[in-house]
Amino acid sequence: MFRKILIANRGEIACRVIRTAHRLGIRCVAVYSDADRHALHVKMADEAVYLGAAPARDSYLVIEKVIEAAKQTGAEAIHPGYGFLSENSRFVQACDAAGIVFIGPPVGAIEAMGSKSAAKSIMEKAGVPLVPGYHGKDQNPELLKAEAEKIGYPVLLKATAGGGGKGMRIVEKAADFDQALASAKREAINGFGDDTMLVEKYLVKPRHVELQVFCDSKGQGVYLFERDCSVQRRHQKVIEEAPAPGMTDSLRAQMGDAALKAAQAIGYVGAGTVEFLLDADDSFFFMEMNTRLQVEHPVTEMITGEDLVEWQLKVAAGQPLPKQQSELQIRGHAFEARIYAEDPDHDFLPATGTLSYLRTPEENRHVRVDTGVLEGDEVSIYYDPMIAKLIVWDTSREAALSRMAQALAQYRIAGVTTNTRFLKRLAEAAPFQQADLDTGFIERHQALLFDEKGGSYSPNLLALAALYALLKLNHERQQEATRSRDPWSPWHGFGGWRLNTNPTLNLRFALPEQENPVEVAVEASNATGNKNLWTVRVGEHKLLVEGQLNDDRLDAVVNGHHRSIHVADLHNQLTLFTADEQFSCQWLRPDLDSHEFEEATASLTAPMNGSVVTLLAEAGARVSKGDPLIVIEAMKMEHTLSAPSDGLVAEFFYAAGDLVSQGAELLKFEAAEE
Ligand code: ADP
């Protein structure tokens, strides 16, 4: 076995690999960029080597620097994680040339699967079923369009070098083809440096079911069963589970055999995943093979009891597979939810910021958290928005799902918008519980999954925010009093205003998507002598509140109803975490220079920090409502802004290639007179 390995990655996967390696007594070298100087993976590793500037192309993607780091530290092998260099055949060649073991498949296997088109050709020959489509070399746009016509709309355009749902567009009709092709190609060039496209029949209600395979260098291969990854947004997985609901032994065996056939057709070694689309009638089609460890591998670990990174290390060290097919078994059911820094209620836009407050659920044999971040870390525009994974296991799907919902409620993040509450709604949605899954799940169940309230607020939550503010004021005044020379002055007591002739205190809160601040009027409740009991008025609602604050935990009683919630307070920007909800508001303290919420998304401002990809109209052009005007890219994802109404594009403030900050006005638009 190796004594020392280098992990050519960052975030949760780097941390996860280090954990297993340490358990096996292997020393670990981390690599890092400017953005990751203080990152968790650097702290966990035994040594760390600096690679370069924050953009991955200056650090994590520079083959020479990674190889040099391994040489310099005497690492015998490199684990590539996923993404970055994990499926880069030039990198594998560079490892081979330097005499360093690449923990993954041989160059030939990566090359064979590196292109989705070439992979389809190989699988066709090996007799693995394929989705009907065109995967030829000729890339003439007219020819691609004609092929699309032949296949029949809707079709799916895919970058042959693609991954992570990028460089992919569904095209519903011929009229949309040209723009979709141009946009997919641009994303592909930016993401993968190659804009070759394939065209496929777009299946309308498929499930994404993938098989985990493992092969050793002695020619042995096994499959570690399947994962269902149907729940996706932007063609990217959100929640994965194993085993796939409704899977029969015979279908599992057929798919497992097809997956091993695929692996053997390319002389595979190591961990790989063969992805299939599974149709309602149980027919399945090869989509692609990922020649690396997948993000969702933990669900397989949970149901098999195997550590796949350990398997990878053993196989890379030349050892045989730890188990034979007949020794592998499925136990119970597991889910993985991907915690993304993104805003589900705004089209899953990636979010950035500081993780000023971060609490994760307690880990035990049912709950596992694979995280790459610590409280205080910055989520930047440079890397993937996935910051952690929550994995749960139990003996049945139902029990596991209920654990998932519970654990998600305990996942508390403030400072950066994340999808944790969305995931919880998903875990609790009846159709998900009934396993009525397909890749259109999120689209179809919008009403159930998204926050439709649009600016309304609950008086109860505001009462809780008011209670928090009151207790905090109380605490501050007490501290002031102990510090001052006259601790008994009546002016220190929070009851000070009680003695006033007008015994009402007004608290003000600014709410997102709410133009004016909301006033909460507070009166001390006299009779009981309980100093922490108040009557609060929110609009026409009157609520009796009392409570206690212990750090971030607020034990509250609202109209006799006890509840324990948590509050993150970042300079009076409050986030309340209840069992079901996450509620944010800004407490506008009168003595502070309170800046109120700005309307976050004026229509033609940059929705995120990023860069301008292209302008789709000329300055001075008249456009119609919905016409695309400008494309912004951040975190390798494109976002198109369209004309809010008919009108005139008076001026663009940025050109292609310019960097823009979130909120920056991008262009001057004059709406046409009615
Ligand atoms: P990537 O490598 O970018 O992840 P994949 O080829 O794995 O792309 O496809 C990602 C997802 O896109 C699939 O899980 C599925 O939801 C959807 N998809 C891919 N091909 C098709 C198709 N032909 N019909 C319908 N959906 C598809």
Side-chain angles (χ1 to χ4, degrees):
M1 186 42 81
F2 310 112
R3 279 175 300 105
K4 191 193 261 190
I5 62 169
L6 179 140
I7 297 100
N9 216 299
R10 62 180 302 281
E12 65 85 21
I13 187 62
C15 299
R16 187 255 167 281
V17 172
I18 294 172
R19 222 170 282 130
T20 293
H22 278 170
R23 187 169 56 70
L24 299 175
I26 300 170
R27 296 177 64 77
C28 295
V29 182
V31 288
Y32 64 96
S33 71
D34 278 330
D36 283 337
R37 278 179 194 284
H38 306 290
L40 182 59
H41 73 282
V42 173
K43 295 195 170 98
M44 283 175 67
D46 303 291
E47 295 168 62
V49 180
Y50 170 73
L51 291 181
R57 63 174 178 278
D58 298 327
S59 47
Y60 296 104
L61 289 175
V62 186
I63 294 175
E64 298 70 34
K65 289 189 183 180
V66 174
I67 298 281
E68 188 47 43
K71 281 189 183 159
Q72 182 194 322
T73 53
E76 306 149 74
I78 298 184
H79 194 298
Y82 51 72
F84 293 140
L85 296 171
S86 61
E87 291 173 294
N88 185 313
S89 55
R90 280 205 308 116
F91 180 59
V92 185
Q93 278 159 350
C95 289
D96 292 350
I100 298 166
V101 176
F102 174 76
I103 303 173
V107 177
I110 293 188
E111 276 170 352
M113 290 296 140
S115 152
K116 288 184 204 269
S117 324
K120 285 183 87 166
S121 303
I122 295 172
M123 292 306 136
E124 205 163 25
K125 286 202 198 88
V128 180
L130 299 183
V131 188
Y134 170 79
H135 48 268
K137 285 218 170 64
D138 191 340
Q139 291 289 303
N140 181 338
E142 288 310 313
L143 172 98
L144 294 178
K145 200 169 177 177
E147 288 293 339
E149 208 66 57
K150 239 192 268 171
I151 297 163
Y153 288 95
V155 299
L156 190 65
L157 290 169
K158 277 188 196 177
T160 61
K166 281 155 203 144
M168 201 148 99
R169 293 287 182 282
I170 302 168
V171 193
E172 302 283 351
K173 52 185 191 302
D176 302 338
F177 190 89
D178 298 338
Q179 218 227 303
L181 181 65
S183 167
K185 274 177 167 291
R186 267 197 315 269
E187 212 170 84
I189 273 282
N190 284 338
F192 324 107
D194 175 355
D195 66 354
T196 315
M197 290 285 147
L198 64 83
V199 193
E200 255 176 28
K201 177 82 196 152
Y202 182 69
L203 302 184
V204 180
K205 226 187 150 193
R207 280 164 67 185
H208 174 123
V209 175
E210 58 185 34
L211 272 283
Q212 174 72 55
V213 295
F214 234 106
C215 303
D216 62 18
S217 51
K218 329 251 182 252
Q220 294 298 309
V222 296
Y223 60 91
L224 290 97
F225 316 111
E226 77 285 355
R227 297 182 284 258
D228 189 317
C229 314
S230 299
V231 178
Q232 306 181 340
R233 56 112 182 82
R234 297 178 190 277
H235 304 298
Q236 256 207 300
K237 300 157 185 170
V238 175
I239 290 193
E240 303 96 350
E241 61 182 293
M247 178 59 84
T248 60
D249 289 342
S250 90
L251 182 57
R252 177 174 292 131
Q254 278 179 54
M255 292 181 81
D257 288 343
L260 279 178
K261 214 192 289 174
Q264 272 147 8
I266 57 167
Y268 203 76
V269 178
T273 295
V274 183
E275 299 189 331
F276 295 102
L277 287 174
L278 177 63
D279 228 345
D281 62 358
D282 278 1
S283 50
F284 58 91
F285 308 98
F286 170 84
M287 221 176 352
E288 64 170 347
M289 177 167 184
N290 289 322
T291 53
R292 54 172 163 81
L293 198 65
Q294 302 261 107
V295 175
E296 59 276 21
H297 75 276
V299 292
T300 300
E301 298 187 321
M302 298 299 259
I303 61 158
T304 57
E306 302 298 325
D307 179 330
L308 296 191
V309 172
E310 181 177 341
W311 279 48
Q312 282 190 300
L313 291 165
K314 287 186 169 159
V315 166
Q319 298 179 19
L321 289 174
K323 285 200 173 154
Q324 310 277 319
Q325 192 68 54
S326 59
E327 297 172 283
L328 291 164
Q329 267 178 25
I330 298 179
R331 265 191 66 237
H333 203 98
F335 286 94
E336 175 186 278
R338 299 187 184 197
I339 314 287
Y340 285 110
E342 68 178 14
D343 186 354
D345 292 327
H346 290 100
D347 203 18
F348 298 100
L349 270 188
T352 54
T354 306
L355 294 161
S356 327
Y357 175 92
L358 173 66
R359 301 289 183 280
T360 54
E362 198 185 315
E363 292 188 71
N364 52 44
R365 72 188 186 93
H366 292 283
V367 178
R368 162 174 164 186
V369 179
D370 281 14
T371 184
V373 292
L374 293 168
E375 187 169 273
D377 280 359
E378 191 77 25
V379 178
S380 70
I381 60 162
Y382 298 110
Y383 312 115
D384 193 87
M386 194 185 81
I387 54 175
K389 305 182 306 207
L390 172 64
I391 304 111
V392 297
W393 177 91
D394 212 321
T395 49
S396 69
R397 185 176 191 271
E398 195 187 359
L401 198 48
S402 125
R403 287 207 187 264
M404 174 60 87
Q406 265 174 40
L408 282 167
Q410 291 164 11
Y411 220 118
R412 305 195 300 274
I413 301 174
V416 177
T417 308
T418 69
N419 64 340
T420 53
R421 301 296 126 160
F422 171 77
L423 291 170
K424 182 158 181 287
R425 281 189 291 241
L426 197 55
E428 289 174 336
F432 188 73
Q433 292 182 336
Q434 288 146 17
D436 180 14
L437 307 174
D438 68 86
T439 55
F441 186 91
I442 291 180
E443 272 286 288
R444 199 169 52 254
H445 295 295
Q446 303 232 358
L448 212 55
L449 299 176
F450 294 92
D451 192 2
E452 297 289 306
K453 279 181 273 162
S456 72
Y457 58 87
S458 124
N460 263 302
L461 289 171
L462 262 180
L464 287 168
L467 175 62
Y468 170 81
L470 290 163
L471 292 168
K472 188 171 176 204
L473 279 172
N474 228 350
H475 179 73
E476 285 174 0
R477 307 261 161 114
Q478 269 163 16
Q479 283 196 323
E480 263 168 47
T482 26
R483 271 199 303 270
S484 81
R485 262 170 289 151
D486 177 13
W488 307 112
S489 157
W491 300 107
H492 295 307
F494 182 42
W497 51 269
R498 259 204 264 176
L499 307 172
N500 218 304
T501 44
N502 176 9
T504 309
L505 176 74
N506 280 320
L507 297 170
R508 290 165 73 239
F509 297 94
L511 305 186
E513 298 181 35
Q514 185 92 17
E515 218 168 295
N516 297 312
V518 184
E519 299 256 343
V520 180
V522 184
E523 284 165 37
S525 200
N526 29 32
T528 61
N530 178 351
K531 276 215 274 182
N532 285 350
L533 183 67
W534 295 278
T535 304
V536 302
R537 280 173 209 279
V538 184
E540 66 269 30
H541 302 270
K542 189 168 152 189
L543 304 108
L544 196 62
V545 300
E546 66 179 308
Q548 266 173 2
L549 191 61
N550 285 308
D551 293 327
D552 63 340
R553 181 183 157 135
L554 175 62
D555 288 304
V557 186
V558 179
N559 284 349
H561 176 96
H562 285 253
R563 59 203 296 198
S564 186
I565 70 162
H566 290 85
V567 183
D569 179 349
L570 314 171
H571 309 293
N572 303 315
Q573 171 67 50
L574 309 184
T575 308
L576 275 60
F577 301 90
T578 73
D580 302 310
E581 282 174 286
Q582 181 170 328
F583 168 74
S584 296
C585 62
Q586 172 127 15
W587 175 21
L588 304 170
R589 297 185 65 165
D591 49 338
L592 294 176
D593 187 13
S594 53
H595 69 90
E596 299 178 9
F597 276 7
E598 277 164 28
E599 186 67 45
T601 47
S603 52
L604 292 168
T605 57
M608 56 209 170
N609 294 333
S611 60
V612 175
V613 179
T614 182
L615 309 179
L616 297 175
E618 303 273 336
R622 299 216 154 268
V623 293
S624 314
K625 180 174 177 181
D627 283 354
L629 302 180
I630 185 167
V631 183
I632 307 292
E633 190 234 52
M635 295 190 176
K636 297 185 265 167
M637 231 179 292
E638 285 197 358
H639 187 77
T640 306
L641 295 164
S642 309
S645 62
D646 295 354
L648 173 82
V649 179
E651 188 185 352
F652 280 103
F653 299 127
Y654 294 91
D658 286 352
L659 290 177
V660 293
S661 309
Q662 180 178 7
E665 199 171 342
L666 299 171
L667 56 107
K668 187 163 170 211
F669 183 80
E670 289 165 10
E673 305 278 318
E674 287 293 299

